[in-house]
Amino acid sequence: MTDDASVSARALPVDTEPGSRLRALLPDLAPWRASADFRRLWLAGLITNFGTFLTFVALPVQLKDLTGSAAAVGAIGAVELVPLIVFGLYGGALADAYDKRKLILATEAGLGLLSAALLLNALLPEPAVWPLYAVAALSSALTSLQRPALDALVPRIVAHEHLPAAASLNSLRWTVGGVAGPALAGVVVAYAGLGAAYGADLVTFAVSVVLGLGLAASPASHEAAKPSLRSIAEGARYAWSRKELLGTYVVDLAAMFFAMPLALLPFLADEMHAEWSLGLMYATVPAGSLMVSLTSGWTSRIHRHGLMVVLAAAGWGLAIAAAGAASNIWLVLLFLTLGGCFDMVSGIFRGAMWNQTIPDELRGRLAGIELLSYSVGPQLGQVRSGGMAAWTSVRASIWAGGVLCAGAVGVLALCLPALTTYDARTNEHALRLRAQRKAAG
């Protein structure tokens, strides 16, 4: 929201009609109405999200059927980690140096070809194991190359004042997929088979590419540096110089490292003699995120984004701690859902800060760093939670991790005051970028 609009909004009387209050909670559709490119990007992402979850469920199921080894299934995460780190950083440099539309289309087509490879392997009389690992590693690499370009494109196709609403709508797209995608995938794999799951994923990529062809060209800024280690280091130095941005990265890393309990949920369900609840446990966090996304209209009226990131990350930790300490399964589900709500609030305001303050010529490289901050943390968190559970107990690992998360977030907030004092109306970087976009029309 512009400064003038903020003043005007404060001068208006508050409408207390129930219908008005309800509309104020619903997602702000301004980016959807104003930008045809945003609509295309949003729909393409929604469609491929469902397809991705089909493969996300089908691939480990096939690996389990072929090997019968839990270690073999767990190794998927290991083969994905290195490509995620390497290509996430390089993908950010590519997004700054080349046309983002072409980069998105090329990687989307590549991901579709990988789905075709999985389909062909599944149709063999004796499917091989090694293609599953190869596709997992290549998919991680292509996704890491694509994601910075996607993130960097949004500020170009959405008006500056609509960026918080765009972050909320994109979060809604992801959470809808996170809740409905695994459920749909389970049904398809169980009743139609692995080939149908991979085939459906291939179709979603084809539809996404067709939608992407309608996007306008998004060439590199004339100030953009060519992809190199030096250009990646330049992005890292910029991130380090912006302590409010640095705060969003380290707070999210701390939250995911200390309080990511997904690896322990099967064991928690067993301990509570509630094996029936495992599916609900996995659905709680995305369900909580979806609840916030569906009522995210209020986020466009908040300007202290950094403070909201800190409060939400601490709330996530406390909710996970409460879930680990609760002795009633319904309380566990309630607290996990509450954790999902806090996680989404943090994500919305992190995205708003990134989109409203990072210069266009650095947007891709910073998006690559962002990718690492919210992707590496959960994977390391699984290692932390599993190791601590082996040393202590499942319940102790969960509740202690939540407490450590809240404490770490508090310490980081004290060490990085620029994060909690950030205000989108007065921050120099937000004002500069707003003025540049207004001058550019």
Side-chain angles (χ1 to χ4, degrees):
M1 197 179 262
T2 62
D3 293 338
D4 291 342
S6 300
V7 173
S8 299
R10 287 195 296 271
L12 292 174
V14 177
D15 192 341
T16 59
E17 291 297 321
S20 299
R21 292 198 297 269
L22 177 60
R23 286 191 296 273
L25 286 175
L26 293 176
D28 185 354
L29 299 179
W32 177 276
R33 291 192 295 265
S35 172
D37 277 347
F38 181 78
R39 290 195 297 273
R40 293 187 185 96
L41 205 63
W42 195 92
L43 287 171
L46 179 67
I47 292 167
T48 54
N49 202 20
F50 277 94
T52 298
F53 273 108
L54 287 170
T55 297
F56 177 78
V57 172
L59 194 147
V61 168
Q62 185 178 21
L63 197 54
K64 176 182 70 68
D65 292 342
L66 293 175
T67 67
S69 168
V73 176
I76 293 176
V79 302
E80 291 174 338
L81 183 58
V82 173
L84 173 68
I85 295 172
V86 174
F87 290 96
L89 291 173
Y90 189 64
L94 285 176
D96 282 336
Y98 297 105
D99 189 307
K100 296 169 185 58
R101 173 183 176 273
K102 291 181 179 178
L103 187 57
I104 292 168
L105 287 172
T107 51
E108 195 78 350
L111 289 166
L113 291 176
L114 292 178
S115 294
L118 288 174
L119 173 60
L120 292 175
N121 184 60
L123 295 177
L124 293 175
E126 294 184 5
V129 171
W130 69 264
L132 306 184
Y133 290 113
V135 167
L138 290 171
S139 293
S140 178
L142 286 176
T143 301
S144 300
L145 287 173
Q146 183 189 79
R147 187 61 188 267
L150 284 170
D151 290 346
L153 182 61
V154 172
R156 285 192 170 190
I157 62 177
V158 174
H160 188 84
E161 64 272 17
H162 294 161
L163 286 172
S168 297
L169 290 174
N170 281 333
S171 299
L172 174 62
R173 182 192 74 200
W174 283 105
T175 51
V176 167
V179 173
L184 175 64
V187 173
V188 171
V189 171
Y191 292 100
L194 295 166
Y198 295 140
D201 192 15
L202 175 59
V203 171
T204 65
F205 280 117
V207 174
S208 177
V209 169
V210 171
L211 287 170
L213 290 172
L215 293 171
S218 184
S221 169
H222 67 277
E223 298 94 351
K226 296 300 180 184
S228 64
L229 290 176
R230 177 178 294 181
S231 68
I232 293 173
E234 180 187 359
R237 285 194 298 270
Y238 178 82
W240 181 263
S241 71
R242 293 278 309 278
K243 300 308 180 187
E244 69 275 29
L245 286 184
L246 181 65
T248 65
Y249 302 146
V250 296
V251 163
D252 190 46
L253 278 170
M256 294 298 102
F257 177 75
F258 287 114
M260 175 52 72
L262 296 184
L264 300 181
L265 295 185
F267 303 96
L268 181 61
D270 288 343
E271 277 197 12
M272 303 192 73
H273 307 290
E275 292 82 358
W276 56 268
S277 68
L278 180 58
L280 293 176
M281 286 185 182
Y282 278 119
T284 50
V285 172
S289 298
L290 180 60
M291 290 167 58
V292 171
S293 298
L294 291 173
T295 57
S296 60
W298 61 275
T299 60
S300 296
R301 297 184 291 278
I302 301 296
H303 307 287
R304 298 285 299 279
H305 299 160
L307 179 61
M308 292 301 296
V309 169
V310 169
L311 293 177
W316 157 263
L318 294 176
I320 297 303
S327 57
N328 180 281
I329 185 60
W330 294 107
L331 286 177
V332 172
L333 295 173
L334 173 64
F335 288 127
L336 288 174
T337 303
L338 184 61
C341 294
F342 283 121
D343 185 46
M344 179 52 62
V345 171
S346 175
I348 287 173
F349 288 108
R350 289 198 313 271
M353 286 181 65
W354 297 337
N355 288 335
Q356 288 188 326
T357 67
I358 296 174
D360 184 72
E361 65 273 13
L362 287 166
R363 190 68 191 87
R365 280 165 284 176
L366 271 292
I369 296 174
E370 294 155 19
L371 174 67
L372 297 185
S373 76
Y374 58 69
S375 298
V376 174
Q379 295 192 357
L380 294 178
Q382 305 287 25
V383 177
R384 194 283 316 165
S385 62
M388 191 171 181
W391 179 47
T392 56
S393 69
V394 170
R395 300 284 290 276
S397 177
I398 296 174
W399 70 255
V403 172
L404 288 170
C405 165
V409 168
V411 171
L412 290 170
L414 291 175
C415 294
L416 294 166
L419 176 62
T420 53
T421 58
Y422 173 89
D423 191 316
R425 297 165 296 186
T426 58
N427 179 267
E428 60 174 313
H429 302 283
L431 292 174
R432 183 183 303 117
L433 195 59
R434 186 181 302 140
Q436 289 175 352
R437 297 194 64 177
K438 180 179 289 188

